[in-house]
Every structure is written in structure tokens, then in C-alpha cells.
Amino acid sequence: GIRGRFGYNPIKVSAAYFCSYPVLNNMGINPMFSFLATSLDELRPERQRLTLMDDSTAVSQVQQLLGRQGIEGISPIARRVTPEGPIKRHNVVLVLMESMSARLMGAFGNTQNLTPNLDSLYNSSLSFANFYSAGNHTNHGLYATLYSFPSIMYRNAMKGSDIPVYSGLPTVLRDHGWQTLFFMTHEGQYDNMNGFFRTNGYDEVYAQENYPSDRVVNSFGVPDDFLFTYALPVLRQRAATGKPFFATLLTISNHPPYCVPADFKARTHEPETQIVEYADACIGNFMAAAEREPWAKNTIFVFLGDHGKKVGTTHSELPDCFNHIPLIIRGPGITPEVRTDFAGQVDVAPTLLGMLNVPYVQNNFGVDLGRERRPAIFYAADKTIAARDSSALFVFNPDLDMEFCYDLRDGQPIKTVENDHFRFLRNYCFSMLQCTEYVVGKRMTTDGQKK
């Protein structure tokens, strides 16, 4: 009956949203409930404003660091990107892999042979050896990768009754004629994904509600192999229209509770490593099947972790394995190479749009890695923020008002004292995060175009 379908609570935004038109989406929502829920959302601890430095100083420094002058009426970090030549209408398949820390891969020194398929992709693609997630939760990885905004520690910027509007990879591609699809394994309401993504560029969202109930294995929905198998015929249908598509797939199997299929033959014996083998095998099977599709030769494939996880011994207040993840890009015209400069999830969208030669208003914190380089990378995990380059790591805990400086030149982090290098790293991450607070707080997160 109705109660069995919708539960005991008033319908929330992520369940109500079914299309890209806000008025239609909001017709099913209880206004009083939503008003109270929005008010309570603003009182949550993670919603409280982070103050690292003066807003105007942060904005000025970010403009200098990113080479931006801003656009009046949009934001102080916006700029117009106008590539030479025509748009390249390649399909894009972007796979965010649950908890795929770089330390799990043989390419980064793991000796257990857990990821032969990812290692093969990494060594035959444009890959990034020093690539970092914005945070340590899935919502951080999605938010940063797709919309190029940093995560503010443990805050979930996608969750809440009042859904903010952003411009980003899905909105820009949709506005230029791409079909946009998002595939997840779990319920659409999880982390407000259905509502947030339908508001911000995705025409189609596939979730647990779309899948047979007998394929659901745990509270996070269907396993990775089903997700990929389900997505392929949908993508085949979209390719048949003649219009390019942008598909995002979010895997889940490498997240507890681990469900290793009984018929999967793992080489290792612990569930924590067997599930990594399984997740990797699903990637290998997906690529083997996808490359047989007629649309594959016109497709850019992107693989990256949504964040990392604890692997091995930790040596600092913010373990490297929580944020150090792979980024793998392969497709037409992309020369295989392993890049060693530092980069982050906020750079994925502008890099892909640069590869596609798409003109747009960039209003975010990312750089096009095909044309720009970062002096360092900054990131966060729950109550900690950090910045690093090849020789130094700066870690700061705002709650405790404590900072830590590490020398990285001898292979392992060694605590040391502050100097000009660490002051640069502190200023780099403080200004980026404070400017994020300012831009988001002022709702200057779109490209200025009315949709």
C-alpha cells in the first residue's frame, strides 16, 4: 500500500524529485515539514561556518593562485573558457570507485596483486600518481569531482531540504547536447543524491528502486557487477540516438558490510582484500564488455576513487591512504602517460571539458590539468584539513586549533618545525577553503545562466 511504498514520514526532497523541473518536483513535498527540516538542517554542527581567515583576503589570494579575475554578477573566481576549434562530442563514462585507496594497487606498491585490472588500466592510460580526494566520504567525492568544489571537512554539501544549485560537469555537458545519466547501487534518497543530481544536471538517475529486489545484497543495494551489467544496455540505447552521453557510475562493493559473491574465486583469504579483488574484477569485466560496444571508440573512460580508506600503517594525524587515490583517463586522442604533479578531484571536470573543447563559464576551484599545474594539493577528512606537495605535509585540526608539519623527503612523514614552505601550504589550503565558504555562503555557485 501507500505506507509500504513511502514509509511513515512525509516525503522528502530526494524521493519527490523525478525530473529537472523544480516546480513539478516540489508539488509532492509537505511545505511545513520541509520548512522545519530546512531550519533544523542549518543547526547541524557540520553546517556551522568554518573561519580560517578573512573572506576578502581569501578571495584575493585564490584569485591570484588560480589566475582569476572573476565575473561581475557570477562570482569572484569565475572565468570564461573559450577553446580554439570545434567541440569534440565524445561520450564520457566516469566511474567513481568506492574506497579505492591508491595503496590497494600494485602500481603504488601493494604486493598482494589485488587490482590487476586497474593496474593494467593505470599503466596504459593518462594516469596521475599524486592525485587526492577532496574528503573521505562518498558525497565529498561526488561533489568535488562533478562540481569542482572542495569539501569542508565532514560537511555533506549535497544533503539538506533546500537543494543548492551548481554549475559543473553534468550541467555544462547537458547544456551542450549531452545526455546525462547517473547510476548508483543504493536507494536514491541516500545522501540526497536523487534530488541533488536531478537539480544539478542529470536527466536520468538510476538507483535501487529501478533494480529487481532479489539482486539487492545489503543496505547499500546491488553489487558492482549488477550495476555495470545494468548500465551497459542503457548506454547502448542512448548511443543509438546519435547524441553523445555522459554517464556516471558509483560503485559500492568495497564498503562494509562486504558481500563477496560465493562463486568469486579470490586469491587472498580476508574479506577486506577479497572485496578489493572482486571490485577490481568487476572493473575488468565492465571494460572488456564496454570495449566491444560500437560507441566505445568514441568514448572517454575515467576511473577514480571516491575517497581512500585505511590501509597499512599510518604515520600522521591525517593518513595519506584516506585521500590518495588513482585517476585514470583513456580515450580517443589521449596519450598514455603517468603524471607525477599534484592534483585533486576538483580538477577532473575542467580537465575533461578541456579535452572535449567545450566553451563554458568556469565557476569553481578546479584547474585544467591538460594546460595548468598545481604547486600543491589540499584536502580534508572529517575534522582535519591538509595541504601537501612532494616534500612537505601540513595538517590542521580546527577543533583543537593544532597544526602539524611533516618533512616527506625521506619517504615517511617526519615531524618538523614551521618554515616558509609550510606557511605557503597553510595559506594555500586556508585561502581555498575560506573562499569556498564565501562563494557557497553567497550562493555564487552557478554559471550565471538561468535554466
Side-chain angles (χ1 to χ4, degrees):
I2 293 176
R3 190 177 68 182
R5 173 63 180 87
F6 293 109
Y8 292 91
N9 296 316
I11 187 170
K12 295 182 180 180
V13 291
S14 207
Y17 279 41
F18 66 97
C19 67
S20 58
Y21 297 100
V23 173
L24 295 178
N25 289 330
N26 283 303
M27 286 181 67
I29 296 173
N30 182 315
M32 184 57 69
F33 174 81
S34 295
F35 173 75
L36 292 173
T38 301
S39 301
L40 292 173
D41 284 339
E42 293 304 315
L43 297 177
R44 296 176 185 272
E46 65 268 23
R47 306 288 270 186
Q48 301 311 299
R49 199 173 193 274
L50 180 67
T51 303
L52 297 169
M53 63 195 308
D54 178 75
D55 284 341
S56 60
T57 301
V59 169
S60 177
Q61 291 183 358
V62 168
Q63 287 178 322
Q64 184 176 4
L65 287 165
L66 295 180
R68 310 279 176 86
Q69 296 180 338
I71 300 176
E72 184 70 28
I74 299 179
S75 97
I77 60 166
R79 66 173 172 180
R80 297 189 186 279
V81 177
T82 308
E84 295 183 3
I87 295 175
K88 299 176 182 178
R89 296 194 174 275
H90 302 309
N91 306 309
V92 179
V93 174
L94 190 153
V95 180
L96 285 119
M97 304 174 291
E98 171 65 41
S99 299
M100 190 55 70
S101 173
R103 283 201 194 179
L104 296 170
M105 294 177 58
F108 293 91
N110 192 298
T111 59
Q112 295 176 282
N113 193 30
L114 304 177
T115 59
N117 294 290
L118 274 179
D119 289 331
S120 177
L121 290 171
Y122 181 88
N123 291 316
S124 60
S125 307
L126 173 60
S127 302
F128 293 79
N130 291 304
F131 184 79
Y132 283 75
S133 68
N136 63 327
H137 297 285
T138 297
N139 65 81
H140 299 154
L142 292 166
Y143 177 69
T145 300
L146 299 171
Y147 305 97
S148 298
F149 272 73
S151 62
I152 303 293
M153 300 190 298
Y154 50 87
R155 182 183 305 167
N156 185 339
M158 294 171 20
K159 198 170 184 179
S161 301
D162 181 17
I163 300 179
V165 179
Y166 285 80
S167 59
L169 187 56
T171 61
V172 172
L173 291 180
R174 182 196 60 189
D175 292 348
H176 282 87
W178 269 257
Q179 305 168 86
T180 54
L181 309 89
F182 191 98
F183 297 86
M184 67 183 88
T185 64
H186 42 65
E187 291 182 335
Q189 289 197 71
Y190 183 77
D191 273 349
N192 208 35
M193 289 186 188
N194 181 59
F196 187 86
F197 291 139
R198 288 191 185 277
T199 300
N200 291 293
Y202 284 98
D203 294 323
E204 302 175 46
V205 177
Y206 296 90
Q208 184 175 320
E209 294 86 341
N210 299 94
Y211 313 140
S213 58
D214 62 352
R215 297 307 305 269
V216 176
V217 295
N218 61 22
S219 57
F220 287 106
V222 298
D224 291 359
D225 68 315
F226 180 85
L227 178 76
F228 289 125
T229 301
Y230 182 93
L232 276 172
V234 177
L235 299 184
R236 188 179 307 130
Q237 292 170 357
R238 299 299 169 270
T241 67
K243 295 175 59 179
F245 62 78
F246 168 53
T248 304
L249 294 90
L250 173 64
T251 72
I252 200 65
S253 291
N254 190 25
H255 188 295
Y258 302 130
C259 294
V260 181
D263 60 349
F264 180 71
K265 294 179 171 56
R267 292 178 295 276
T268 57
H269 304 288
E270 299 298 325
E272 292 80 7
T273 53
Q274 290 180 339
I275 200 66
V276 177
E277 292 185 64
Y278 169 69
D280 177 76
C282 292
I283 294 292
N285 293 338
F286 170 67
M287 281 303 292
E291 288 178 340
R292 293 194 293 268
E293 296 284 337
W295 49 262
K297 63 181 180 298
N298 186 42
T299 301
I300 296 174
F301 291 91
V302 186
F303 295 90
L304 71 157
D306 63 345
H307 53 79
K309 65 191 299 185
K310 188 178 184 299
V311 182
T313 305
T314 60
H315 299 280
S316 72
E317 284 72 19
L318 182 48
D320 186 77
C321 54
F322 282 177
N323 297 86
H324 187 198
I325 57 173
L327 172 63
I328 299 166
I329 307 175
R330 59 195 290 118
I334 298 174
T335 303
E337 176 191 4
V338 175
R339 291 262 299 271
T340 58
D341 49 307
F342 283 77
Q345 286 175 324
V346 292
D347 303 324
V348 172
T351 300
L352 292 175
L353 291 172
M355 290 178 171
L356 296 169
N357 239 29
V358 173
Y360 70 109
V361 172
Q362 182 185 5
N363 183 24
N364 56 51
F365 292 81
V367 304
D368 179 350
L369 297 172
R371 296 169 175 82
E372 303 168 271
R373 296 289 188 274
R374 285 190 179 276
I377 189 60
F378 63 100
Y379 49 92
D382 288 336
K383 296 185 178 183
T384 312
I385 59 180
R388 63 162 295 159
D389 57 17
S390 59
S391 63
L393 168 66
F394 170 78
V395 179
F396 179 64
N397 185 315
D399 283 357
L400 302 176
D401 194 25
M402 294 183 66
E403 57 187 44
F404 308 89
C405 302
Y406 288 92
D407 189 317
L408 302 175
R409 287 174 292 185
D410 292 329
Q412 296 294 349
I414 299 173
K415 279 189 177 179
T416 185
V417 296
E418 178 184 315
N419 56 36
D420 287 344
H421 194 161
F422 291 107
R423 280 188 281 274
F424 168 78
L425 292 175
R426 179 201 294 114
N427 188 68
Y428 192 67
C429 66
F430 279 19
S431 60
M432 293 289 180
L433 295 178
Q434 194 64 49
C435 187
T436 300
E437 286 280 36
Y438 176 77
V439 171
V440 172
K442 297 292 185 181
R443 293 181 177 261
M444 297 185 291
T445 55
T446 72
D447 57 9
Q449 303 296 314
K450 292 184 178 180
K451 307 300 182 185

